[in-house]
Amino acid sequence: MIVDRQGRQFRNLRISLTSACNYACTYCVPNGKRLIAAQDELSANAMARGVAYLIEAAGIERLRITGGEPLVSPKLESFMGQVGQMGLADISLTTNGQLLARKLPLLIDANIRRLNVSLDTLDPVAFRTIARGGDLVTVLDGMTQASAVGIKIKVNMVPLRGANLDQVMPMLDYCLERGYELRFIELMRMGHLASDSNGFVQQFVSLQQLLTLIGEQYEYLQADAPVDATAVRYQIPGKGFFGVIANESVPFCRTCSRLRLSSTGWLHGCLSSSNRHYVGDLLDKPRHEALPALQRLLVKALGDKQEVAFSGGATVMKIIGG
Ligand code: SAM
C-alpha cells in the first residue's frame, strides 16, 4: 500500500466519466459555454480497467462516478456494469439530476444505493441563472423518484452571495422534510475563480456564516463523521442532518484519501495541485506491466497533496469531477 509521511493513502477514487455537461454553472464555467466530451476520452472498458488496476495498486475501496455530467455519457451503462463486479465497498454517483428519472432503471440495475444531486436553489429563475441549463422541476422529480425506490440522496449546494444565499433555509427545510441530507459546499478557488480573487471573495459564504444563518431557526449539534470525511456534519435533533464541506474554513487535506481519474486518463492526487500524471496508455497494458508503472505514478500523485490546506487550482472541476 502507498502511504505518505502523514499516513495518508488513496482509498476513495473519483472518476470523471466525461467532461461533457448539460449545465454551464457560473462558478464552474467562466464563459457559459457548455463543455463537450474531449476527443481523446477513454473508453468505458479502459476506464473500468483503470478502476480494477487502481484497486490493486492503490487499495481503492470506494468509487464515486462523476463528471462533467455522468448521466449524459454513453459509457455509463457499460462502465457501471463492469465496476459493479469488482467487490468495491461502495459505488456512488454525483449528478445534476437533469436525467435522473430517465436513467433511474439503469442506476437501479447497477445497484446504486447512494446519489449526490447538485442543486443550488429552489427558485426556478435563479436556477436558470446559476446552472445556465436544465429545468428545476425535472431535477426535483428525479430526486423524488430515486428516493421512492430507496436510493439515499445527498444534495450538494454551493451557497453564493448575491445568487442564492436566500435559498439556504428553504433548501434546508426542503431536504429535512424529505430525508435528503443537504451538503453545503464552500465555494472553491477552482478554474477561473483561482485567478479571480475579487469574484471569489464577493461570492464566498463561509461555514460560520452558514451556521449563524441556520442557528437563527434551528438548534444543531455537531455529529460524527468518518476520519477521512470531507464534510463537517451536524444534527438538528428530531429533524435530520446537514453537512458543510468547508474547504476554506476547515481544510481537510491532512486526512484526504481521494484520488481522481479524468475522462482523458490523467491521475490527480490533489484538487489544489496543477500536477497530473498520464495513465491512459497503461490501461491498455496487461496487469503485470501496468501495475508497477502505475504504482510509481501513484507515489508522485500522493506527493502532490497539500500538507494542511487547500489553496485553489486552475483546473476546472468539470475536468476532474469535483
Ligand atoms: N455534473 C455533476 C454535478 O453537477 O453534480 C458532477 C460534476 S460537478 C463538477 C460536481 C460538484 O462540484 C457539484 O456539486 C458542483 O456544484 C461542484 N463545484 C463545481 N465547481 C465548484 C467550485 N468552484 N466550488 C465549489 N463547488 C464546485
Side-chain angles (χ1 to χ4, degrees), residues 27 66-69 94-96 118 156 158 185-188 317 322:
Y27 47 83
T66 174
E69 170 50 42
T94 301
T95 173
N96 60 32
S118 302
N156 289 349
V158 181
I185 308 180
E186 278 187 355
L187 185 63
M188 297 167 79
M317 294 288 247

Side-chain angles (χ1 to χ4, degrees), residues 122-135:
L122 292 168
D123 176 321
V125 176
F127 178 93
R128 296 288 301 183
T129 307
I130 298 170
R132 297 189 285 202
D135 168 64

Side-chain angles (χ1 to χ4, degrees), residues 4-319:
D4 73 2
R5 280 185 295 129
Q6 302 201 53
R8 296 178 295 195
Q9 314 174 20
F10 291 126
R11 292 181 189 281
N12 295 304
L13 176 64
R14 297 194 146 213
I15 285 236
S16 175
L17 204 58
T18 177
S19 58
C21 189
N22 42 1
Y23 286 8
C25 298
T26 51
Y27 47 83
C28 194
V29 187
N31 54 14
K33 283 198 193 133
R34 289 186 202 164
L35 281 195
I36 53 169
Q39 294 231 317
D40 52 349
E41 283 196 349
L42 301 179
S43 66
N45 289 351
M47 295 196 108
R49 210 156 37 243
V51 178
Y53 286 174
L54 287 167
I55 291 172
E56 270 200 78
I60 293 299
E61 295 162 1
R62 303 159 76 87
L63 173 68
R64 176 170 293 280
I65 304 164
T66 174
E69 170 50 42
L71 299 191
V72 303
S73 174
K75 290 181 277 191
L76 183 69
E77 186 167 6
S78 162
F79 176 76
M80 293 213 310
Q82 295 181 65
V83 295
Q85 313 297 317
M86 293 181 187
L88 285 156
D90 183 57
I91 302 178
S92 56
L93 187 134
T94 301
T95 173
N96 60 32
Q98 200 56 229
L99 297 177
L100 185 50
R102 227 189 288 173
K103 298 285 178 180
L104 199 52
L106 195 159
L107 300 182
I108 295 168
D109 281 353
N111 209 18
I112 291 280
R113 308 307 313 145
R114 300 193 306 114
L115 281 178
N116 282 43
V117 181
S118 302
L119 177 66
D120 293 323
T121 176
L122 292 168
D123 176 321
V125 176
F127 178 93
R128 296 288 301 183
T129 307
I130 298 170
R132 297 189 285 202
D135 168 64
L136 173 65
V137 173
T138 308
V139 177
L140 300 181
D141 180 49
M143 292 201 291
T144 306
Q145 290 191 34
S147 179
V149 296
I151 295 180
K152 275 189 75 117
I153 293 190
K154 285 186 184 154
V155 174
N156 289 349
M157 170 183 183
V158 181
L160 301 161
R161 192 172 301 287
N164 65 354
L165 204 47
D166 62 335
Q167 289 291 301
V168 166
M169 295 314 295
M171 284 281 294
L172 183 58
D173 286 331
Y174 185 89
C175 290
L176 289 171
E177 278 161 22
R178 288 160 181 79
Y180 308 156
E181 190 164 322
L182 182 58
R183 289 290 165 98
F184 299 101
I185 308 180
E186 278 187 355
L187 185 63
M188 297 167 79
R189 299 169 198 264
M190 294 297 298
H192 62 292
L193 291 175
S195 53
D196 177 11
S197 199
N198 280 348
F200 175 80
V201 171
Q202 276 164 19
Q203 296 177 84
F204 180 75
V205 180
S206 71
L207 165 74
Q208 198 46 57
Q209 287 162 338
L210 284 168
L211 292 181
T212 303
L213 202 58
I214 293 167
E216 287 168 11
Q217 189 169 326
Y218 292 119
E219 293 201 1
Y220 57 81
L221 314 163
Q222 191 155 347
D224 287 341
V227 170
D228 62 351
T230 50
V232 194
R233 222 167 148 243
Y234 300 89
Q235 181 173 22
I236 301 177
K239 292 255 175 202
F241 292 85
F242 68 94
V244 186
I245 302 182
N247 317 283
E248 295 276 331
S249 306
V250 188
F252 42 82
C253 301
R254 284 180 199 278
T255 55
C256 178
S257 58
R258 290 185 178 184
L259 174 68
R260 293 177 163 81
L261 176 64
S262 79
S263 59
T264 50
W266 294 89
L267 277 186
H268 294 254
C270 174
L271 269 186
S272 195
S273 167
S274 52
N275 290 351
R276 54 183 195 161
H277 309 278
Y278 188 64
V279 297
D281 50 352
L282 294 179
L283 305 183
D284 291 331
K285 295 195 193 307
R287 183 183 162 279
H288 69 278
E289 278 179 42
L291 288 194
L294 200 51
Q295 265 161 338
R296 283 193 289 278
L297 293 177
L298 284 164
V299 171
K300 290 187 184 174
L302 193 57
D304 295 336
K305 286 201 181 296
Q306 309 292 300
E307 293 279 312
V308 184
F310 173 88
S311 55
T315 316
V316 186
M317 294 288 247
K318 283 189 167 189
I319 307 294

